[in-house]
């Protein structure tokens, strides 16, 4: 084995271990029974109180309704963003639209600014239109912020598709609508699933909009509920908070591994 390969493997191993350290600490300290927690982090398992800690977090922070809210926001927003981005990618790559590069930058520019700059105008506009503290308002926000990145991925994927497919379909009399649903969508399905997974995880993990655009406990997403657990119920102890964090992260882990083959296939160049 060459020296370069050895160094590369060693570097990747060290980076993987560094990445796993926070996860290891999360799991180990979530296992510690809350009543026996000493106040300092545990590096090795000491007892098994995970289920009790999860149950405590579930009850104290009302994680059940919050999980349902986040599931609604993540699924609807990610799906709407994927479909909207697919339409935009189809229009700017397949259809004979003028100034395609300009339209690309118009849509993609939504990722160039930090999300914090949108908080004040969103708050003011939502307060005037009665969208503040509503599920509809959060869905609209999450969909809007998810579209630019989804468009970037789907457009680049569409650029690798053969133009002959479109030309043949048009010569056979296929309309743009039929071409989109029967040819473009099936060919970009793996990329759309990958985009859905990316945006689902991003919406699920969002805290900023969940605490600034919502005040009601029955509307807040799960990350806002978890933050409330740590802030308003700090007497429960770190093991309960960590167990709650581990619990709310399970849906994203399950989704990622369930859609892994679509995620991997979308990274390959379409031929």
């Amino acid at each position: 084995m060459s020296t370069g390969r050895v160094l590369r493997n060693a570097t990747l191993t060290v980076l993987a271990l560094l990445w796993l350290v926070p996860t290891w600490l999360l799991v180990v300290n979530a296992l510690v029974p809350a009543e026996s927690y000493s106040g300092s982090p545990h590096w090795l398992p000491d007892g098994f109180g995970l289920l009790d800690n999860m149950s405590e977090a579930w009850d104290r922070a009302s994680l059940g309704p919050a999980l349902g809210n986040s599931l609604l926001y993540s699924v609807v927003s990610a799906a709407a963003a994927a479909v909207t981005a697919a339409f935009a990618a189809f229009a700017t790559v397949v259809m004979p639209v003028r100034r395609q590069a300009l339209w690309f930058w118009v849509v993609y520019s939504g990722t160039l600014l930090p999300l914090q700059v949108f908080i004040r105008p969103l708050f003011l506009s939502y307060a005037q239109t009665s969208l503040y503290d509503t599920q509809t308002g959060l869905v609209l926000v999450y969909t809007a912020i998810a579209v630019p990145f989804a468009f970037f991925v789907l457009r680049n994927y569409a650029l690798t598709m053969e133009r002959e497919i479109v030309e043949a379909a048009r010569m056979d009399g296929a309309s743009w609508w039929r071409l989109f649903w029967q040819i473009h969508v099936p060919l970009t399905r793996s990329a759309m699933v990958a985009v859905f997974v990316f945006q689902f995880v991003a919406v699920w993990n969002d805290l900023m909009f969940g605490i600034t655009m919502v005040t009601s406990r029955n509307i807040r997403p799960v990350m806002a509920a978890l933050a409330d657990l740590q802030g308003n119920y700090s007497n429960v102890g770190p093991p309960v908070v960590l167990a709650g964090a581990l619990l709310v992260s399970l849906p994203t882990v399950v989704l990622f591994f369930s859609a892994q083959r679509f995620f991997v296939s979308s990274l390959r160049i379409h031929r």
Side-chain angles (χ1 to χ4, degrees):
M1 185 179 293
S2 64
T3 303
R5 179 173 295 183
V6 172
L7 291 176
R8 183 186 63 184
N9 292 340
T11 302
L12 291 176
T13 301
V14 171
L15 292 175
L17 290 175
L18 291 175
W19 181 83
L20 287 173
V21 166
T23 306
W24 172 257
L25 288 173
L26 169 65
V27 174
V28 168
N29 287 274
L31 289 171
V32 177
E35 62 275 6
S36 62
Y37 188 75
S38 61
S40 58
H42 290 242
W43 286 90
L44 296 173
D46 183 14
F48 186 81
L50 178 62
L51 298 180
D52 292 336
N53 293 338
M54 285 184 173
S55 178
E56 183 76 7
W58 183 277
D59 295 335
R60 290 294 190 97
S62 300
L63 290 182
L67 281 169
N69 290 333
S70 282
L71 185 63
L72 171 67
Y73 302 146
S74 300
V75 171
V76 175
S77 300
V83 174
T84 303
F87 274 116
F90 180 78
T92 56
V93 174
V94 179
M95 297 181 67
V97 176
R98 298 179 59 185
R99 299 183 178 87
Q100 294 181 352
L102 175 62
W103 285 113
F104 165 74
W105 285 109
V106 167
V107 179
Y108 183 66
S109 62
T111 64
L112 303 180
L113 297 174
L115 295 178
Q116 289 81 356
V117 303
F118 302 117
I119 291 295
R120 187 174 185 275
L122 276 175
F123 178 84
L124 295 177
S125 61
Y126 269 38
Q128 295 175 357
T129 57
S130 301
L131 286 173
Y132 183 77
D133 197 28
T134 63
Q135 291 180 327
T136 302
L138 269 186
V139 168
L140 291 176
V141 169
Y142 288 140
T143 301
I145 64 176
V147 166
F149 178 77
F151 169 69
F152 173 77
V153 174
L154 293 177
R155 174 186 177 272
N156 289 346
Y157 193 85
L159 286 173
T160 66
M161 297 170 56
E162 299 292 344
R163 293 290 302 178
E164 289 79 4
I165 300 176
V166 176
E167 294 172 357
R170 292 294 292 170
M171 289 181 63
D172 289 339
S175 64
W176 291 116
W177 184 256
R178 183 178 179 184
L179 182 61
F180 174 78
W181 286 111
Q182 296 187 5
I183 296 179
H184 183 78
V185 169
L187 289 176
T188 59
R189 181 181 59 177
S190 59
M192 291 182 68
V193 173
V195 163
F196 176 85
V197 172
F198 271 124
Q199 301 309 325
F200 182 98
V201 174
V203 173
W204 186 275
N205 291 331
D206 174 74
L207 175 62
M208 182 178 65
F209 290 108
I211 61 177
T212 56
M213 307 302 293
V214 168
T215 57
S216 301
R217 292 172 62 90
N218 62 326
I219 298 177
R220 65 182 181 178
V222 70
M223 289 302 165
L226 192 62
D228 194 30
L229 173 68
Q230 186 175 8
N232 296 341
Y233 302 103
S234 57
N235 61 320
V236 299
V240 175
V241 177
L242 294 176
L246 187 62
L247 178 63
V248 302
S249 66
L250 292 179
T252 58
V253 175
V254 172
L255 175 64
F256 178 80
F257 283 106
S258 299
Q260 188 176 16
R261 67 185 182 92
F262 293 100
F263 177 76
V264 173
S265 64
S266 69
L267 298 180
R268 302 171 182 167
I269 297 178
H270 180 78
R271 297 185 185 277

